[in-house]
Amino acid sequence: METTAGLAFRDATDADVDTLVALIESAYRGDDSRAGWTTEADILEGQRTDPEGVLAVIKSPDSRLLTVERDGQVVACCQLEHRGTHAYFGMFAVSPGLQGGGLGKVIIAEAERIARETWGVTEMHMTVISVREDLIAWYERRGYRRTGQMTPFPYGDERFGLPRREDLQFELLVKKFA
């Protein structure tokens, strides 16, 4: 377990699954998510993830699901997946009541450091729903660049939510490490 800025970072275990699903859902879906700024409630309903999806990340040999605690409470999480010369960053969630206070900046910087030191990667990749301009701008301020590379949203697969719009797609964002 590593400690940064009063936060403890550790790899998630099977015992964390329910807590992490609840955290991810609270950050992106439903009325609770509106307390933070990362909500997707206006563009998607339904679930953001499920226990099977979280457990799959925990169990994958090429992934780490970082669990972030403050004072023994889980306050955030993010997925890191080794994909050759780059790492994929996903499943990023910060408790809605703690958003906007700089916690996300600390967590993403630590995730980048861990990916570089653990796997020697030269880039971090992520996908963001392209209509999430505020979120994309936040990542751009962290050094990520839009690529214009789009992948379709999985319409019809309720595991990813129930779209409220017909123009959803994912854009690849990339950050090159010096």
Side-chain angles (χ1 to χ4, degrees):
M1 186 176 310
E2 301 187 40
T3 305
T4 302
L7 302 173
F9 293 76
R10 64 175 174 79
D11 288 330
T13 67
D14 296 12
D16 295 312
V17 170
D18 290 342
T19 299
L20 293 174
V21 169
L23 171 68
I24 294 164
E25 292 297 313
S26 75
Y28 291 97
R29 296 288 198 275
D31 287 338
D32 287 349
S33 70
R34 294 181 192 279
W37 68 273
T38 60
T39 183
E40 294 172 344
D42 292 331
I43 59 173
L44 288 161
E45 295 176 339
Q47 71 178 32
R48 176 66 148 63
T49 192
D50 55 30
E52 295 76 20
V54 171
L55 190 60
V57 173
I58 292 171
K59 295 292 190 191
S60 172
D62 293 323
S63 281
R64 298 176 72 177
L65 185 53
L66 290 181
T67 300
V68 185
E69 295 179 343
R70 178 186 280 160
D71 300 324
Q73 294 292 112
V74 174
V75 296
C77 67
C78 65
Q79 170 192 10
L80 294 173
E81 183 177 323
H82 186 208
R83 295 183 179 176
T85 60
H86 73 273
Y88 178 80
F89 179 81
M91 222 176 262
F92 187 30
V94 174
S95 181
L98 299 175
Q99 292 177 17
L103 192 56
K105 295 176 197 173
V106 173
I107 294 166
I108 196 168
E110 181 66 3
E112 290 167 357
R113 184 194 68 75
I114 289 170
R116 286 191 315 268
E117 291 183 7
T118 303
W119 298 313
V121 295
T122 58
E123 295 180 349
M124 184 81 87
H125 291 195
M126 71 174 71
T127 55
V128 178
I129 296 174
S130 62
V131 298
R132 298 289 320 276
E133 295 292 340
D134 54 344
L135 186 58
I136 291 171
W138 188 87
Y139 284 121
E140 287 179 316
R141 292 190 298 275
R142 313 275 93 65
Y144 288 81
R145 296 290 164 250
R146 298 182 88 153
T147 65
Q149 289 180 260
M150 302 291 182
T151 53
F153 185 87
Y155 285 92
D157 188 339
E158 291 185 9
R159 291 177 305 158
F160 298 96
L162 304 168
R164 300 178 75 179
R165 301 171 57 147
E166 295 183 13
D167 61 344
L168 301 182
Q169 55 186 345
F170 294 103
E171 182 171 1
L172 175 67
L173 305 183
V174 174
K175 180 176 183 175
K176 295 184 184 301
F177 299 134

